Amino acid sequence: MHDAAHGSADDVILRVEDLAVHYPIGGGLRGGGRRLLRAVDGVDLELKRGECLGLVGESGCGKSTVALSILGLQTPTRGRIVLDGQVVTGGQSLDRMALARIVQIVFQDPYASLNPRQSVRRTLEAPLRLHGMTAKSEIDGRIEAMLSHVGLRPEQAGRYPHEFSGGQRQRIGIARALILNPRIVICDEPVSALDVSIRAQIINLLLELKETLGLSYIMISHDLGVVEHMSDRVAVMYLGRIVESGDWREIFERPAHPYTQTLISAIPDPLRRAPLATTRGEPPSPLNPPDGCAFNPRCRHAEAVCRRAPAPSLDVRPDGHAVRCWRADEIAGQTVAEPSAAFNGSS
């Protein structure tokens, strides 16, 4: 969409501050030799009302752990999450029921995320009854309206998941996420399990629902083609930290972190005129991160300072484009790629 307003602090519906999720690994009953897996290690995020924030990075970088923490399904090691003005971490946090009315999730796999023994109606009415709605006419009306919103017919409510295609199943998953009228929806790789021919339909549906229902999205993906098409702002994660964030156009046209350059160069697009940015090897284990900048063993720009200490988050441009890289200023001046033509409104 790319047109969400960038307003004041009052427009922020979600704020994540210094979020960390660490898991102790090994050590046996006495805890000897135990190591710490830093799945998320000091993440700061903001989501404004009515915008889509793309959260991108390779598998295992911590994207889904951030999502689970926001949903209240993962207890952070440290940090604070403020959701529509209410703290959802710590002793005074919202309970799961209250949280579910604010934020919901659309899962990656529409085949695994629906109960094969429950009809569409049962799937959609369960959260309504759990949250105190008992009148049959009210439940039926809500289900009918929601099916219409996602492009399904009311008479399909009596069918079971195996009677639907993958795209239709994901529409049911979207309907389930929206049935309680949440204000925020986390989309966790919502099209990666679908056929290419169906992906654009689901993406366009999500964009339409965002405008119609006034939703705010966090779009989690490793597919930058999807993120580029949907997001107003983008945050790039690497090994548990945000390494770059900013307006979608700044990120895609003038990426300032070498890792972001690598991700963007990997988008399949014959129209890209810039040379590919390459990287070496595989991501290190969060159990044994390298000294200094976590990306330095794979970075073609790495120097001695990059191996000594992690780079602070620096604003490379006055529009809120922030980067964790010792050489960000010089890299930021390079135009690396043109915007992708991977998706358009007619696809």
Side-chain angles (χ1 to χ4, degrees):
M1 289 301 290
H2 313 319
D3 58 359
H6 293 265
S8 66
D10 292 339
D11 292 329
V12 175
I13 192 169
L14 169 68
R15 181 175 286 106
V16 177
E17 301 171 349
D18 193 29
L19 181 71
V21 179
H22 299 166
Y23 302 105
I25 302 295
L29 295 176
R30 296 180 180 274
R34 179 172 292 185
R35 295 189 295 169
L36 210 56
L37 189 152
R38 300 174 185 270
V40 176
D41 199 26
V43 162
D44 296 294
L45 286 177
E46 280 189 353
L47 176 67
K48 293 182 173 64
R49 297 180 193 278
E51 82 168 353
C52 177
L53 173 67
L55 185 59
V56 304
E58 294 167 290
S59 296
C61 72
K63 306 184 301 292
S64 294
T65 304
V66 170
L68 292 174
S69 300
I70 294 169
L71 289 160
L73 300 176
Q74 172 66 56
T75 302
T77 304
R78 71 167 191 270
R80 197 166 82 121
I81 299 172
V82 183
L83 200 56
D84 206 12
Q86 302 178 80
V87 178
V88 300
T89 47
Q92 302 300 313
S93 62
L94 292 174
D95 62 35
R96 277 289 306 133
M97 296 282 281
L99 198 54
R101 291 190 290 271
I102 300 174
V103 58
Q104 284 286 335
I105 185 169
V106 175
F107 294 101
Q108 174 179 1
D109 188 349
Y111 296 91
S113 63
L114 298 175
N115 187 335
R117 295 182 176 85
Q118 285 192 348
S119 67
V120 172
R121 180 180 303 280
R122 287 286 303 278
T123 295
L124 297 183
E125 75 176 5
L128 295 175
R129 292 191 179 279
L130 185 64
H131 286 261
M133 188 179 293
T134 56
K136 185 178 184 301
S137 60
E138 190 177 1
I139 290 173
D140 289 346
R142 181 77 68 89
I143 291 174
E144 182 175 335
M146 191 51 62
L147 289 176
S148 177
H149 274 309
V150 301
L152 296 173
R153 301 187 307 276
E155 58 266 28
Q156 292 177 296
R159 298 182 184 177
Y160 288 80
H162 73 271
E163 300 178 74
F164 294 93
S165 67
Q168 289 175 320
R169 292 188 198 197
Q170 194 61 301
R171 290 173 187 267
I172 297 167
I174 293 168
R176 177 178 58 188
L178 298 180
I179 198 71
L180 292 175
N181 293 329
R183 281 156 271 177
I184 299 171
V185 177
I186 298 174
C187 303
D188 191 359
E189 303 273 11
V191 298
S192 64
L194 302 177
D195 291 342
V196 173
S197 60
I198 304 299
R199 290 182 185 183
Q201 295 179 22
I202 298 301
I203 289 168
N204 289 333
L205 172 64
L206 287 168
L207 289 172
E208 179 184 324
L209 291 169
K210 175 175 169 288
E211 296 303 309
T212 303
L213 303 178
L215 300 169
S216 305
Y217 285 164
I218 296 178
M219 171 62 64
I220 295 176
S221 183
H222 66 273
D223 185 339
L224 266 76
V226 173
V227 170
E228 182 179 7
H229 184 68
M230 288 194 64
S231 300
D232 302 296
R233 288 187 304 116
V234 177
V236 181
M237 280 193 77
Y238 185 79
L239 210 66
R241 290 188 172 184
I242 304 295
V243 296
E244 184 164 10
S245 62
D247 177 82
W248 77 275
R249 188 176 294 278
E250 283 289 324
I251 297 295
F252 281 90
E253 292 187 3
R254 293 195 291 174
H257 195 284
Y259 177 61
T260 310
Q261 293 181 352
T262 300
L263 292 179
I264 291 172
S265 294
I267 301 174
D269 185 354
L271 300 181
R272 260 182 226 288
R273 295 186 292 274
L276 291 177
T278 58
T279 191
R280 304 182 293 244
E282 298 295 323
S285 167
L287 273 172
N288 187 29
D291 293 333
C293 169
F295 190 61
N296 86 77
R298 308 174 69 195
C299 181
R300 60 198 174 104
H301 299 286
E303 295 181 339
V305 66
C306 306
R307 291 181 278 274
R308 283 199 300 265
S313 182
L314 304 171
D315 289 333
V316 292
R317 297 189 186 95
D319 58 1
H321 188 165
V323 185
R324 287 184 181 273
C325 177
W326 287 112
R327 302 186 64 189
D329 285 339
E330 56 187 289
I331 295 173
Q334 305 170 11
T335 299
V336 174
E338 296 294 326
S340 170
F343 288 94
N344 57 60
S346 61
S347 61

